[in-house]
């Protein structure tokens, strides 16, 4: 008896590339380095969470690697900034989308204005992370080398620590929304970040301006 294999993927013609391999590698580098920094940072933040240190090799080990992985995260955000900045810039059109955020939350997508590559919510997430990483970087460098802080400025150290923690907590709030929206609320987004492609129907539905632009680029010149 012969069995016919069911097609596991849609035919390529039904799909459109959303993220190149390079884009996906940098994104997952950001995710891994950010996750490491968050979990080890939480271990250093509260004695109640210090058990997390044991998971990553102990206190001295995470104290050593936390700032280095922070630099890897910084590098990936710098890469995103250099390559996605134009797509992530907030525009006048985003105001309308933000005014109709209720329709987005309640899945009444047909009431929303057509979107380019990223919607206003995705852009706001990025900018929250961007400013958080700036504060994390500046405060983190001071905390990395506390012995280099001049004696007469040592009083600023507790303020620097609070700034570092506040920026980390803001980024954690932002990432929870990011993961919820892109993994659970919109599973095809996750597929895009894993395999690089989305269905044409998804692209048309959620990012029509971007889809039309990509389509235009595919058309042969007259
Ligand atoms: C930690 C786990 C993470 C998961 C599971 C995750 C998942 C995803 C997914 C599925 C997408 C595709 C969304 C779409 O095209 O519709 C995406 C996009 C994106 N991710 Fe992440 N991500 C994570 C962490 C991060 C981190 C740490 C950053 C750092 C800035 C980041 C920045 C972005 C940006 C800028 C985009 C494009 C715009 C957007 O969709 O928000 N991600 N992510």
């Amino acid at each position: 008896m012969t069995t016919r294999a069911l097609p596991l993927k849609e035919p390529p013609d039904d799909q459109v590339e959303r993220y190149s391999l390079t884009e996906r590698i940098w994104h997952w580098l950001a995710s891994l380095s950010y996750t490491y920094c968050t979990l080890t940072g939480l271990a250093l933040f509260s004695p109640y969470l210090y058990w997390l240190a044991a998971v990553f090799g102990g206190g001295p080990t995470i104290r050593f690697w936390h700032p280095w992985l922070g630099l890897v995260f910084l590098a990936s955000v710098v890469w995103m900034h250099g390559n996605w900045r134009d797509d992530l810039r907030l525009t006048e059109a985003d105001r309308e989308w933000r005014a109709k955020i209720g329709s987005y939350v309640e899945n009444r997508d047909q009431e929303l204005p057509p979107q380019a590559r990223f919607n206003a919510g995705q852009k706001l997430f990025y900018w929250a992370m961007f400013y958080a990483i700036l504060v994390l970087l500046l405060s983190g460098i001071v905390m990395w080398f506390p012995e280099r802080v001049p004696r007469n400025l040592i009083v600023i150290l507790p303020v620097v620590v609070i700034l570092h923690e506040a920026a980390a907590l803001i980024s954690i709030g932002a990432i929870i929304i990011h993961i919820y929206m892109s993994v659970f609320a919109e599973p095809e987004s996750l597929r895009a970040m894993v395999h690089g492609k989305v269905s044409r129907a998804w692209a048309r539905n959620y990012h029509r301006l971007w889809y039309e632009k990509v389509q235009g680029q595919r058309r042969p010149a007259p």
Side-chain angles (χ1 to χ4, degrees):
M1 192 179 79
T2 55
T3 50
R4 212 154 54 94
L6 288 171
L8 292 175
K9 288 182 186 164
E10 287 178 78
D13 258 11
D14 284 358
Q15 299 183 355
V16 56
E17 183 176 78
R18 181 143 171 86
Y19 296 109
S20 68
L21 182 62
T22 311
E23 289 179 312
R24 281 177 280 149
I25 289 173
W26 277 106
H27 175 270
W28 290 119
L29 207 55
S31 312
L32 289 177
S33 52
Y34 177 83
T35 304
Y36 179 88
C37 288
T38 304
L39 296 179
T40 53
L42 287 171
L44 297 167
F45 172 61
S46 160
Y48 294 107
L49 296 169
Y50 194 68
W51 58 269
L52 279 168
V55 178
F56 291 97
T61 306
I62 62 165
R63 175 59 183 83
F64 177 81
W65 285 110
H66 177 88
W68 284 107
L69 268 290
L71 291 184
V72 174
F73 178 55
L74 172 73
S76 47
V77 174
V78 168
W79 186 91
M80 287 181 193
H81 201 73
N83 290 274
W84 291 349
R85 192 180 41 219
D86 290 344
D87 291 326
L88 286 163
R89 196 169 280 134
L90 283 155
T91 63
E92 270 303 304
D94 292 320
R95 274 176 199 272
E96 200 189 334
W97 190 94
R98 273 189 285 172
K100 292 186 175 166
I101 187 107
S103 309
Y104 181 69
V105 173
E106 289 164 20
N107 279 328
R108 286 180 275 113
D109 292 291
Q110 69 283 2
E111 293 170 15
L112 293 164
Q115 294 299 297
R117 190 175 188 197
F118 302 124
N119 66 38
Q122 291 173 303
K123 293 178 185 180
L124 287 174
F125 158 72
Y126 174 75
W127 290 107
M129 292 305 264
F130 178 79
Y131 288 111
I133 185 83
L134 280 189
V135 177
L136 287 166
L137 172 70
L138 296 176
S139 53
I141 287 176
V142 177
M143 290 161 70
W144 200 351
F145 307 105
E147 68 286 355
R148 303 259 174 101
V149 178
R151 275 188 158 275
N152 55 341
L153 287 179
I154 208 84
V155 286
I156 66 157
L157 259 183
V159 179
V160 170
V161 172
I162 289 172
L163 281 175
H164 199 75
E165 292 169 352
L169 291 176
I170 289 170
S171 76
I172 290 172
I175 201 81
I176 288 173
I177 300 174
H178 180 63
I179 295 176
Y180 173 74
M181 290 310 298
S182 56
V183 176
F184 300 106
E186 210 35 78
E188 192 150 350
S189 290
L190 181 61
R191 208 160 69 94
M193 214 23 121
V194 176
H195 301 290
K197 297 193 169 63
V198 286
S199 68
R200 288 181 189 281
W202 185 93
R204 255 194 319 267
N205 198 27
Y206 293 108
H207 298 278
R208 194 159 75 221
L209 300 180
W210 167 74
Y211 176 68
E212 283 167 1
K213 190 172 157 201
V214 175
Q215 282 300 97
Q217 283 163 2
R218 275 167 52 106
R219 253 173 231 136

